[in-house]
Amino acid sequence: MKHLRYLFAISLMLMSFNCSNAQSDKGKGEVIVMDKAEFLAKIYNYEKNKEEWVYEGDKPCIVDFYADWCGPCKRVAPIMKELAAQYNGDVLFYKIDVDNEKELASVFGITSIPTILFVPVKGKPQAALGALPKETLVEQIEKFLLANK
């Protein structure tokens, strides 16, 4: 009976440790799925600003154009999630399903996925095609998005 109490006490301690770690992960960055309305409000309203790029956000962002069926997109998704947590508060991470948002894909000429759009607060965005490795994404974030910060 004494051993059962001891095991129960250890189990409670482990459970409370695990719960406290789960709570500390809350509030970390995340990759937010966008639709056209959100894109127009938070990134670029191409209906209002037809002649020039005007970024609607106040932090740099990355937009991942993807599809659920796309193998390379599936490989990029966990990397984007890691980076969203790593750059939480400094860079926003979004993704747009090209099958659901055909107009957005068309406006940006997305013909290959994944296509990753790096959007600085000032200046024009840059696009990269394909499943980039984490190191390349970090380099782009540091040199292009956060260089002037």
Side-chain angles (χ1 to χ4, degrees):
M1 187 69 167
K2 189 176 184 181
H3 291 287
L4 283 175
R5 279 191 230 150
Y6 179 71
L7 285 174
F8 182 71
I10 288 175
S11 297
L12 282 176
M13 287 185 344
L14 288 174
M15 285 174 52
S16 67
F17 175 74
N18 193 24
C19 289
S20 67
N21 277 348
Q23 287 180 347
S24 69
D25 285 346
K26 285 187 177 179
K28 295 241 179 181
E30 60 183 280
V31 181
I32 300 163
V33 179
M34 289 192 128
D35 61 14
K36 177 187 172 188
E38 291 170 308
F39 185 88
L40 293 175
K42 295 178 181 178
I43 309 290
Y44 169 53
N45 189 332
Y46 54 84
E47 294 175 339
K48 181 174 81 175
N49 301 305
K50 295 179 184 198
E51 299 299 317
E52 68 177 310
W53 174 269
V54 178
Y55 181 49
E56 302 291 340
D58 59 354
K59 292 182 183 177
C61 75
I62 291 178
V63 181
D64 176 17
F65 290 90
Y66 78 102
D68 288 333
W69 50 263
C70 167
C73 300
K74 290 178 184 180
R75 288 193 302 275
V76 168
I79 296 170
M80 289 295 188
K81 191 171 182 174
E82 284 177 38
L83 293 173
Q86 181 178 336
Y87 289 99
N88 184 33
D90 294 323
V91 179
L92 300 171
F93 286 77
Y94 301 108
K95 64 184 193 174
I96 296 173
D97 186 333
V98 296
D99 289 333
N100 294 335
E101 299 298 334
K102 292 182 186 334
E103 181 181 326
L104 285 175
S106 175
V107 165
F108 284 93
I110 306 299
T111 57
S112 175
I113 53 174
T115 294
I116 300 168
L117 193 64
F118 297 90
V119 184
V121 173
K122 293 183 180 178
K124 295 190 181 203
Q126 291 182 358
L129 303 178
L132 301 176
K134 183 177 180 180
E135 298 77 27
T136 304
L137 293 167
V138 167
E139 185 177 321
Q140 276 296 99
I141 291 168
E142 294 292 333
K143 290 184 177 177
F144 183 66
L145 296 181
L146 298 177
N148 296 328
K149 193 169 180 190

